[in-house]
Structures are given as structure tokens and as C-alpha cells.
Amino acid sequence: MSDQIDEHKESRPRHRRRSRARRLLKWATAAVTVLTAGAGITVVGYVQSVRLPADPVEVQASTLFYRDAKTILARVGTQNHNDVPLSAVPPQVRQAVLAAEDRDFYDHSGYSVRGILRAAVANLGGRREGASTVTQQYARNAFLTQDVSLDRKAKEFALAIKLERKFTKDEILERYLNTIYYGRNAYGIAAAAYAYFGVTTDRLTAAQGVVLAATIKDPFGFDPANDAAAAQQRWTWIVNAAREKGWLTAALEYPKVSRSSTADAGPNGIVIDRVEQELADNGVSSRALHTQGLSVVTTLDAKAQGAGIAQVAKHLAGQPKDLRVALVAVDPRSGGVLAHYGGKQRGYFDDAAAAHPAASTFKPIVLATALKAGISAQSRWDGSSPRSFPGRLGVPLYNHDDVQCPDCTLEQSMIESLNTPFYAVTEKLGADSVRRMAHDLGIPPAYGDTRALVDGKGDPKPGRTRPDIAIGRYAVTPADLATVYGTFAGGGVRHHRHFVESVTGADGRRLWKAGTQPRYALEKAAAADVTSVLAAVVQKNGIAPDRPAAGKTGTQQWGDTSDNQDAWMAGYTPELASVVWIGKGDPGPIRDKGGKAIEGENLPAQLWKAFTREALRGRPVTPLPEPANLGRPGAFDVAPEAGSRPGGKPVPLDKVEPDPERSAPQARSGSQEEKGSSPAPRRSD
């Protein structure tokens, strides 16, 4: 009996705890219910408080200014727009748009919980996917701005609900298709059908509809004229999404797309494309640029840009029509692009963004690497020709015209543009050290999916850098080379190259402002020594633009012939660093109107000199920095007979620290040889 009483006493606390837990659960449930109801009432109240405008916001063109924020560079705006009824849009085209933007469109009430969850999963997996429905996108495009804020998102949500209550699904889809921006100044699907395919909407095929659907996400980036690979990748993704929904069963092939035809077809059109791309990368969409009356202050200088266009036209007048030219100038103090010429008109290739072998314009990077390692520009090296190096695997290296200089300083080697001394420096310090210096100064790690400054498929050492980097064997773009020379001009400080200074909305609000963090790529004293050497090059070649300047020419040989395929001039003053490239769309012999082979020291150097002179006309002359005379000036690598001369005792090679990642000796690429590197000693700079 006592045992039963004891058990009953012990059970009462447990019973009280369970009762208390049940009461807390009831209270918690009630509280959640009340809060949910309250939140629901708040949401309903907020939705009711947001007014649905009667008409969409009027489309406004945007204005691009030069860097003075006063002179107009261009006006960018929608010029091609007419509405069509939904019945004029084939069902497969509508389905392509929905597969791309809102697969649950006919199943939700303006917002999609499933879409939000799908986007969350995608974003967690490292892929970017939006959660806005077609209705929300229409609300944003028709009535709101493109700014990213909680207030704008809340209004978008409220307007979407009101739109769903006021219009049918087909009416909303019709309005959406007629107001979305598809790129190429095409506002609405009728304009897009003509801009991309030259047809009316009722004649669009399913494959063509997918192309248009792809541009909605990124009108510039997914335009096949701007990035064919990205456009086709997006096209394939949409086709697969449509198949998953059962909307598409037939096999599709990527259709032929019309060449982009825009109102501004001159050289500035390419600049506008670069500006549009940079804005999109920083959150200002192509649609906003073309429809919301933005004021965009670019980094372009009106005088420099005008000089670039004018001097290219002047120097190319009467020359063979298949010659291509690129000219890029940057401000060494900020990285802002002052002038950019990538071709005669937009919608074509931007030659300033195309990579070509850098030839001798790469030698200053070798010099910078040597200075960093404590080797002076006055150090002496064997400039004999030909010479054999382990990295050449039995193939001798020649100087242009077989010039001989068995005891030559690096400065003199640069002035004479000798190959063998700079190759010797690179073998001593390691090719990877030169590559790393190039990346530090402004050459990117990769171009697209292809690593820069390394052997590619079919080369002797895929994925590795060979000592041939010393003589410009690897390809770089004119724009990136301008950044490198801008870093030299800026005292070793590298700035990110950019086109846009600031963006302001039609209401005066600042939407974006460029903010670049300088990077110290090279010691100031070393940059001064590089400048001193390159100033001597400019003086020796007679290409000084009426003010102190530094620079280097370069010429890339065409195969094993006496012709050239690329000709360069890269140089700078303290205010402006610029690069000129002349070549062809497809590598081949480049000759002037007289049939003479074009080399860096003739047409490119003349163009660079004239451009620099005109771009800086009227501005104060700024002196170049004095040399710091860094490093050891002794004989590092001289010919045996030269080493016996007074002061000719070589510096022991073990006193120069090699690169820890120095690559093993490799063979030379067979298809593209640097000028002067083949057994036949010929002219180069």
C-alpha cells in the first residue's frame, strides 16, 4: 500500500509538467496564429495601400557623357517599339519565354512559393536564379525602377497581386511581352523579332523564340552578336526546361541570327557596348540603361577619343582594306579608359579585346622582373646571335638582322630590341616569375576559359609557361597591355581598367559610382628604371610626341616567312598610357599600301606618336621620373671573350636567386615564331 502511495506521489510532478507543457503549447499555437493573422492583415493592408498606376512609366532614353560630365558621348534609348496582341505570338514562343522566366505562370497568383524555393536551392548550389514571376517582372518594368531595395521589392509584390486581380493571365503575358527589353534597342517582342530575325512575330519559329527568351535575362550578354557561346548555352538551358514541362518535343537547331544593326554604327558604338556591359556587371541592367533616362558619366576624354578615331582614319587611309587596328588609352592615375578604338562600327568584333602575341612589347615586363630580383638595367649580358638555350631544345635564337652584342646592358638590349639577352634573363630567373610579374602588372589570369601566358593544346608544354614568354610568344589584348604600361607610368601602382565613373537616375539619385582599389604591383624605384630605359627607346626611334615619353615597339613574325602578322606600339607619358595594334582578323601577312611589311616601328609607332601628341595638345608637359638605378650592374651573362675585358668579370649565377617554380626546358611552338627567332636572321624591333 505504501509503495502505491509513493508511486502516486512521484507521478504528480510528472503530470504537472505535462500539463504545463500542454498549456505552453496551446499558448504558443495561439500566439503564432495571432501573429500570422496579424501579419496577414498587415500584408493585406499594405497591398491595399499600394496604388496600381493606370499606365506604365514612360520610357526615357539615357545620356552618356564624357568624363567632364558635360559633353555628350551618346544617347542610348528605345527607338523601336510597337505592341502586338498575344494571338500574334505563336504558342511555342510564349512557352519559350515562360520556360525561361516563369514555368508556373498559369498556376500562381502573382508570386510563386515554388519559384522562391527553387531559386533558393539554386543559389545555395552556387547558381544564380531569380524568383520574380512574369507578373512581378511586368510590375517592375512597367511601374517601378530597377533599384535593388526592400521597398521596391515590396511594391513589386503588391502590384503583382493587384495585377492578377485586375487582368487575366493572357492579358498579363501580352503586356509583359510588349514591354520587356530584348536588347538591340528592341522594346517589345515585335521589335525583337525584327531586330534578331527580320520577321514579324507570327512567323517566329520555336528555335527563334528561345533565342529571344534567352535575351530577357541579359539583353547584352545573351545577344549572339556579343557572346555567341553564352547565348547558345542559355538557349540550350531553355530548350531543356521546355522539354521538362512537356512544351517541346521536336528537335531544335540553333537558328541563324541577323547581325546587330544599331543607330550608332561608328567607332563609339563599340564604346557604348563596353559601357553597357560594365554597367550590367555592376547591377545597372541593360533595360534600365535603355528605358529609364539615366545619366552616365564615362571615363572617356573627348579630346583623346576624338584624336584616336581621327588618327586611325588618317593613318589607315589608302592602306589595304583588310588591316585591323586597335587603340586603347588609359589614365595611369585611375585606370579610367580615356580612348578606345576597337573597330569601325559596333556589332562587329572589338579588336581592342582580342588577344595577339605581344612580341617585343613584353620585354619591359622581363626587365621589371629582373629589377625586382636585384638585377640592374645596366647589368651586362651576352647579346650574341644566334644563341642556344636549354628552353629552345636545340633551336637557336637569333636577334633581328643577326645583330651582335656579346657584352650588352639590358638598357642597350632594350633599345636595340635584342632577343637573346632577355631570353637569358628569363632562363636565369624562371619563366614563371615573368608570368607572375605580367599578371601583377595587368595581364589577367585567363581569357575566357583559357589560361593566359601558358602553352595551349598542341604546344610543347600545355599549361606551363616557357622562357619564350621573354620574346612575347603568348597572346595578350591591346587593352590589357595598356593597363601594364599604365602601371609603369603610374610608378608601379596598378588600377582596375574601367569605362564608367558614375550613374545617376532620372530622379537625381546616385545609382552607382566606380571605386577602384589601387594595387602596388612594382616598387616605385623599379618602375622609374623601366621608364628610363623605355624613354631611351622612344628617343632612339625618333617617336617622341613633343613631350617626354617612354615606350616599346613589337613585331610578330608570320610563320617561317619574311612577313609579319602583328605590329605593336605601347607607350606612355605620366598622364596617358596607350597601345596601338595593327594586324588582321585572321592572322596573316600585314603589308602597307606600298607592299612593305608593317613593323611596330613604322605604322603603329607613327599612329601612336600622332595620337599621343593630339590627345595631350594644350596640356602642361610633365617630366618623366629620374632613374633610381636599382640592382647590381655587373656582368651576369656575357660571351667568354667579352668577359675578359676590363670590368667584364661575370657575376656568379648562383648569386641570382632562381624562381622556385621555374619550368623545365621546353621546345618552341612551331606555328608562330617571334620575329628573329628562326634560323634566318631577319629584321625585327
Side-chain angles (χ1 to χ4, degrees):
M1 182 67 176
S2 61
D3 291 341
Q4 292 178 352
I5 293 174
D6 290 340
E7 288 179 8
H8 180 67
K9 288 179 179 179
E10 291 176 1
S11 66
R12 278 185 292 186
R14 288 197 297 270
H15 176 71
R16 284 196 294 268
R17 286 195 296 270
R18 284 196 294 269
S19 298
R20 190 181 303 114
R22 282 195 294 269
R23 286 197 301 272
L24 289 173
L25 181 59
K26 289 179 181 179
W27 277 107
T29 303
V32 170
T33 302
V34 170
L35 290 173
T36 302
I41 294 171
T42 301
V43 170
V44 171
Y46 177 77
V47 170
Q48 293 299 326
S49 70
V50 176
R51 185 180 67 86
L52 180 63
D55 299 304
V57 175
E58 182 180 355
V59 171
Q60 300 179 61
S62 296
T63 305
L64 274 56
F65 295 94
Y66 285 100
R67 66 174 181 165
D68 63 5
K70 297 177 181 179
T71 308
I72 294 176
L73 168 65
R75 295 191 186 278
V76 180
T78 302
Q79 302 174 1
N80 189 2
H81 178 216
N82 61 288
D83 292 345
V84 294
L86 188 64
S87 58
V89 182
Q92 63 267 33
V93 177
R94 303 179 220 168
Q95 290 167 342
V97 171
L98 295 179
E101 299 298 320
D102 187 359
R103 281 165 272 178
D104 304 322
F105 174 68
Y106 283 98
D107 300 322
H108 60 64
S109 301
Y111 60 94
S112 172
V113 175
R114 186 184 304 174
I116 294 171
L117 293 175
R118 183 169 57 236
V121 171
N123 292 335
L124 286 173
R127 294 178 291 109
R128 295 183 63 183
E129 184 172 327
S132 292
T133 65
V134 157
T135 312
Q136 288 174 286
Q137 290 183 51
Y138 172 67
R140 177 172 67 248
N141 294 331
F143 307 117
L144 302 172
T145 64
Q146 300 289 315
D147 66 312
V148 180
S149 67
L150 290 175
D151 180 62
R152 197 268 312 188
K153 197 68 179 175
K155 288 181 179 178
E156 175 188 303
F157 173 82
L159 289 173
I161 292 176
K162 285 199 166 185
L163 285 167
E164 291 278 348
R165 293 173 180 172
K166 184 175 181 179
F167 301 107
T168 66
K169 286 287 188 179
D170 283 352
E171 288 173 332
I172 293 172
L173 183 57
E174 177 182 304
R175 286 168 172 258
Y176 175 81
L177 293 173
N178 282 317
T179 56
I180 204 72
Y181 180 66
Y182 296 84
R184 300 192 179 189
N185 278 342
Y187 183 63
I189 195 163
Y194 183 80
Y196 284 85
F197 302 107
V199 300
T200 55
T201 54
D202 59 308
R203 297 183 61 190
L204 285 170
T205 67
Q208 292 172 335
V210 177
V211 171
L212 299 185
T215 65
I216 295 174
K217 185 178 181 67
D218 185 348
F220 183 88
F222 290 138
D223 182 341
N226 298 326
D227 192 335
Q232 293 191 31
Q233 185 177 18
R234 176 69 175 166
W235 184 88
T236 301
W237 184 90
I238 295 171
V239 168
N240 292 335
R243 291 192 193 284
E244 290 177 7
K245 290 289 292 185
W247 291 337
L248 185 63
T249 56
L252 297 184
E253 291 186 3
Y254 197 86
K256 182 179 179 180
V257 179
S258 301
R259 184 182 293 274
S260 178
S261 176
T262 58
D264 189 337
N268 280 348
I270 293 177
V271 173
I272 295 170
D273 286 343
R274 299 282 77 77
V275 169
E276 183 171 347
Q277 187 175 33
E278 187 170 304
L279 289 175
D281 291 341
N282 289 281
V284 180
S285 70
S286 294
R287 176 185 170 80
L289 177 63
H290 285 261
T291 65
Q292 293 188 4
L294 307 181
S295 293
V296 181
V297 178
T298 72
T299 62
L300 274 289
D301 180 82
K303 180 183 286 188
Q305 181 67 3
I309 295 172
Q311 292 303 321
V312 167
K314 179 179 178 179
H315 284 77
L316 268 291
Q319 299 290 355
K321 298 296 185 182
D322 59 349
L323 289 181
R324 304 279 282 269
V325 181
L327 185 154
V328 181
V330 300
D331 186 340
R333 299 161 298 188
S334 67
V337 177
L338 300 176
H340 183 102
Y341 182 97
K344 295 181 180 179
Q345 59 186 19
R346 73 192 304 186
Y348 292 81
F349 201 67
D350 184 354
D351 286 307
H356 308 277
S360 290
T361 61
F362 217 82
K363 288 173 181 172
I365 300 176
V366 180
L367 176 59
T369 309
L371 289 166
K372 182 180 179 180
I375 299 175
S376 169
Q378 303 308 317
S379 61
R380 303 198 326 278
W381 298 75
D382 182 3
S384 302
S385 174
R387 286 190 64 186
S388 297
F389 294 95
R392 303 286 291 181
L393 291 182
V395 179
L397 180 66
Y398 285 78
N399 294 327
H400 66 82
D401 292 341
D402 206 21
V403 171
Q404 303 296 323
C405 187
D407 188 354
C408 218
T409 66
L410 287 183
E411 178 178 29
Q412 189 63 27
S413 299
M414 188 76 73
I415 293 172
E416 299 296 333
S417 198
L418 304 182
N419 291 329
T420 54
F422 289 100
Y423 204 97
V425 172
T426 301
E427 285 222 329
K428 297 299 184 291
L429 298 180
D432 284 341
S433 65
V434 176
R435 172 178 52 79
R436 285 196 295 271
M437 175 60 72
H439 291 324
D440 288 342
L441 293 171
I443 303 300
Y447 289 114
D449 295 329
T450 303
R451 285 184 61 198
L453 307 181
V454 297
D455 276 10
K457 185 177 180 181
D459 288 329
K461 195 68 175 180
R464 297 295 301 273
T465 301
R466 292 182 292 117
D468 278 23
I469 191 175
I471 47 180
R473 179 256 180 273
Y474 297 110
V476 301
T477 71
D480 290 326
L481 196 60
T483 296
V484 170
Y485 278 68
T487 304
F488 290 144
V493 179
R494 172 186 167 187
H495 295 274
H496 175 69
R497 190 176 65 254
H498 60 286
F499 283 89
V500 181
E501 189 62 36
S502 65
V503 185
T504 305
D507 58 0
R509 290 185 304 112
R510 178 66 58 81
L511 301 180
W512 183 75
K513 181 175 175 58
T516 61
Q517 292 294 327
R519 177 178 177 181
Y520 296 89
L522 184 66
E523 185 181 348
K524 186 176 182 179
D529 281 357
V530 171
T531 296
S532 176
V533 170
L534 297 186
V537 173
V538 167
Q539 287 297 324
K540 193 265 184 182
N541 285 278
I543 52 177
D546 299 336
R547 61 178 63 225
K552 184 72 184 76
T553 58
T555 307
Q556 175 71 17
Q557 182 179 339
W558 167 239
D560 287 317
T561 73
S562 60
D563 281 304
N564 307 317
Q565 69 174 50
D566 302 286
W568 298 82
M569 173 64 201
Y572 55 90
T573 69
E575 305 89 356
L576 181 148
S578 56
V579 168
V580 171
W581 166 87
I582 296 179
K584 290 184 175 181
D586 293 319
I590 51 174
R591 297 188 177 187
D592 63 17
K593 56 187 176 184
K596 181 182 178 181
I598 296 175
E599 298 182 347
E601 65 183 12
N602 48 51
L603 193 54
Q606 295 161 13
L607 172 54
W608 176 86
K609 176 181 178 179
F611 162 74
T612 304
R613 183 180 61 243
E614 293 304 314
L616 298 177
R617 183 180 294 277
R619 295 184 60 175
V621 174
T622 306
L624 296 172
E626 293 294 326
N629 298 315
L630 290 180
R632 298 185 295 279
F636 278 75
D637 172 42
V638 295
E641 61 272 20
S644 62
R645 298 173 187 170
K649 186 177 180 181
V651 173
L653 297 182
D654 59 2
K655 298 299 183 182
V656 180
E657 186 161 345
D659 189 291
E661 297 182 18
R662 177 179 168 187
S663 54
Q666 303 301 332
R668 181 188 58 173
S669 173
S671 60
Q672 292 184 338
E673 298 178 352
E674 295 69 26
K675 191 74 170 178
S677 63
S678 67
R682 293 188 293 270
R683 170 70 182 163
S684 179
D685 51 58

